[in-house]
Amino acid sequence: MTTRLHDTLTGAVRPLEPLEAGHVRVYSCGPTVYGPAHVGNFRSFLFADLLVRHLRWRGLRVTWVMNLTDVDDKIINGAAAAGIAIDELAERWIAGFLEDARTLRMSHPDVLPRATEHVPAMVALVERLLAGGHAYRTDDGSIYFRIASWPAYGRLARLDPGQMRVGERVAADEYTKDDVRDFVLWKGPREGEPSWETALGAGRPGWHLECSAMSMQYLGESFDIHTGGVDLVFPHHEDEIAQSEAATGKPFVRTWLHCAHLQMGGRKMAKSEGNIARVTELLAAGASPRALRYALLAAHYRTALSFSDESLAAAAAAIERLDALVAALEAYRSDGPGDPSLAGLLGRAREAFGTALDDDLAISPALGALFDLVRDLNRRIADRTLSSPDADTALAALRDLDTVLGVLPDPADALPDALDALLEARASARASRDWAASDRLRDELAAAGILVEDTRDGQRWRRAGSPSGA
RNA sequence: GGCGACGUGGCGAAGUGGCCUAACGCGGGGGUCUGCAAAACCCUUAUUCAUCGGUUCGAAUCCGAUCGUCGCCUCCA
């Protein structure tokens, strides 16, 4: 069984065949660190995370690189507005990004290269393009890529360069270039902007350049998968292909993966639309991190996903269902002989789950398989057909699937002594059938975020997940 | 003006020629269990897949038209 993925360039769903057997190289366009990322940005990061987790779960080695764009117009403007250096602004929001990523349980990329630390590699790339006749200088010290020198331009985005409405919504460029469609590789020095002294002269790199230079530095001139949001298809990735392939003469990326937009209020979530939600704000409003992760992951990556209070609440409820099962399995005790049907049940669930994700990361049927399993396990718990070891086996199976999803609660950590004492007090109150005391202690624990439930195995507890921003 | 995606129950979302009188999650209604509660389980909640027409023995799934929504062509995940 091989994972199949939809490639934007060819429009086909094809089996993933890594250039190096057993080792997949993945590059993901990361954040521009001029402010906090919104959850729409995180949809694309988490979809890449899902991809990486799934490939690793399938036993493949994955090298995952995600860039940090720490120099561009927005950062320059933002730093100027705040009266600080661009480095300072970038540092602040890199820290913010990493914090949000941790909160949302995103796997840590193997490399998080920063653009400002890779200027020499970018300069070298531009030199190759100049030497090959694919780039030219202008009077202000800028260097542009000559689209006319690259006939394949427009293939990724399926745009006909002749039909492009370039310039219509863009004021006449302040830089002078031969053709309005040419894109900048290197921006000449300007007053008040950071500048690097390089073999190309003074200036700073254009945005598209960094991804080509850094991806090729860490993953090779040809690599397996490149991910990003659909809004990067044009011009960003189109330009990356042109400058990379024109420089190396080799195919740049084998498979292009693009996730659709996260929508809020029926429109794409975007700062310019004013309809954004940020991780820290949502958490402050009471959202649970795992519910947020689930909400961003729960629809197929190539379909628009709507985000709302309702979707977050639904995600929180789904997470609660998983939490309740985990708590039930952890508390389950039975000396019974065990359930002979369990192994088959778990095997079929894993099979269905994996098969779904192999099909271009089809998350919906994968979640369907997961929740079918949840119901079947709950039934067995209610019917008490499982043995204690069976419960452990089932829990391990759930945790195995969760290697990919990353939404189950952490293994129950110890409670503070004070709360532990309340639990014990409640247990003895129940033993003496002192319902008033028992109920009062249950309320106290609930107020402390601990949900207590009574079963024939005695009372069991779990931490309350914050049910969305209710 | 060009290119593209999509329209499935109260909401979200699978399914792309017969096993679909349509998965899964959320929500609603009824029930079981329970000291109470919670959780869980059971039953129920679309004879229907934007509309119209066509192809086919057979269509949510293919074709055409119409209406509607969203996205890209510009910084953008």
Side-chain angles (χ1 to χ4, degrees), chain A residues 310-323:
Chain A
E310 291 71 31
S311 76
L312 193 51
I319 291 291
E320 293 262 338
R321 182 163 163 78
L322 296 174
D323 287 4

Side-chain angles (χ1 to χ4, degrees), chain A residues 3 5 16-20 22-30 44-56 60-67 106-113 211-212 214-228 237 240 252-258 301 361:
Chain A
T3 299
L5 297 168
L16 171 66
E17 286 159 1
L19 287 164
E20 177 191 335
H23 182 186
V24 186
R25 293 177 168 84
V26 182
Y27 184 89
S28 298
C29 279
S44 92
F45 306 148
L46 290 179
F47 123 76
D49 180 38
L50 180 73
L51 168 74
V52 168
R53 284 168 173 261
H54 177 250
L55 295 178
R56 286 178 175 155
L60 292 158
R61 179 184 164 203
V62 178
T63 298
W64 188 23
V65 178
M66 176 179 281
N67 71 296
M106 188 182 100
S107 308
H108 196 84
D110 298 291
V111 191
L112 284 162
C211 284
S212 288
M214 298 194 293
S215 62
M216 291 196 285
Q217 173 171 335
Y218 292 101
L219 301 176
E221 294 185 344
S222 293
F223 58 93
D224 302 300
I225 298 173
H226 192 133
T227 77
H237 291 162
E240 276 188 53
F252 179 45
V253 168
R254 304 261 289 193
T255 304
W256 287 92
L257 259 34
H258 292 100
Y301 74 92
L361 301 177

Side-chain angles (χ1 to χ4, degrees), chain A residues 189-408:
Chain A
R190 297 167 113 194
E191 190 59 36
E193 291 191 355
S195 180
W196 280 258
E197 292 298 333
T198 72
L200 299 172
R204 63 182 171 100
W207 173 43
H208 313 302
L209 188 61
E210 65 175 272
C211 284
S212 288
M214 298 194 293
S215 62
M216 291 196 285
Q217 173 171 335
Y218 292 101
L219 301 176
E221 294 185 344
S222 293
F223 58 93
D224 302 300
I225 298 173
H226 192 133
T227 77
V230 272
D231 46 8
L232 296 187
V233 171
F234 192 90
H236 186 53
H237 291 162
E238 190 72 59
D239 292 353
E240 276 188 53
I241 293 174
Q243 70 198 178
S244 300
E245 300 195 349
T248 68
K250 296 175 187 169
F252 179 45
V253 168
R254 304 261 289 193
T255 304
W256 287 92
L257 259 34
H258 292 100
C259 78
H261 287 304
L262 184 69
Q263 300 201 336
M264 190 148 86
R267 310 204 144 261
K268 136 187 185 181
M269 182 180 288
K271 201 172 182 184
S272 55
E273 297 272 352
N275 61 343
I276 59 173
R278 285 164 173 151
V279 177
T280 48
E281 293 165 356
L282 290 167
L283 297 184
S288 117
R290 290 185 290 128
L292 186 48
R293 176 179 172 90
Y294 184 97
L296 294 175
L297 236 31
H300 184 75
Y301 74 92
R302 282 192 288 118
T303 69
L305 169 63
S306 33
F307 184 82
S308 63
D309 290 346
E310 291 71 31
S311 76
L312 193 51
I319 291 291
E320 293 262 338
R321 182 163 163 78
L322 296 174
D323 287 4
L325 173 59
V326 168
L329 286 171
E330 284 174 341
Y332 189 89
R333 295 288 179 277
S334 168
D335 296 327
D339 188 330
S341 72
L342 182 65
L345 177 71
L346 298 178
R348 284 191 300 277
R350 191 180 203 279
E351 173 71 21
F353 181 84
T355 300
L357 290 173
D358 277 335
D359 179 19
D360 195 30
L361 301 177
I363 189 84
S364 294
L367 291 174
L370 173 67
F371 282 101
D372 281 340
L373 176 62
V374 169
R375 188 187 53 248
D376 285 335
L377 289 175
N378 274 325
R379 243 192 299 238
R380 283 166 170 75
I381 290 169
D383 296 343
R384 303 202 56 84
T385 61
L386 301 177
S387 64
S388 293
D390 281 346
D392 293 340
T393 302
L395 194 53
L398 284 174
R399 294 229 175 258
D400 170 54
L401 301 186
D402 192 56
T403 304
V404 181
L405 297 175
V407 297
L408 286 189

Side-chain angles (χ1 to χ4, degrees), chain A residues 104-187:
Chain A
L104 294 177
R105 298 183 169 191
M106 188 182 100
S107 308
H108 196 84
D110 298 291
V111 191
L112 284 162
R114 293 174 58 166
T116 54
E117 292 171 359
H118 295 78
V119 173
M122 296 187 230
V123 169
L125 191 60
V126 174
E127 286 176 327
R128 289 170 83 175
L129 291 168
L130 282 168
H134 295 289
Y136 60 91
R137 295 171 182 276
T138 56
D139 293 342
D140 63 0
S142 295
I143 300 173
Y144 289 87
F145 184 91
R146 189 186 306 283
I147 283 170
S149 79
W150 196 248
Y153 194 79
R155 252 181 75 207
L156 181 74
R158 291 177 173 69
L159 286 175
D160 176 356
Q163 296 280 355
M164 286 164 50
R165 302 182 119 192
V166 175
E168 176 165 294
R169 284 189 286 169
V170 188
D173 205 295
E174 301 149 67
Y175 300 97
T176 55
K177 42 186 176 179
D178 291 0
D179 183 316
V180 283
R181 294 162 305 176
D182 288 347
F183 61 90
V184 69
L185 296 163
W186 186 259
K187 296 188 175 186

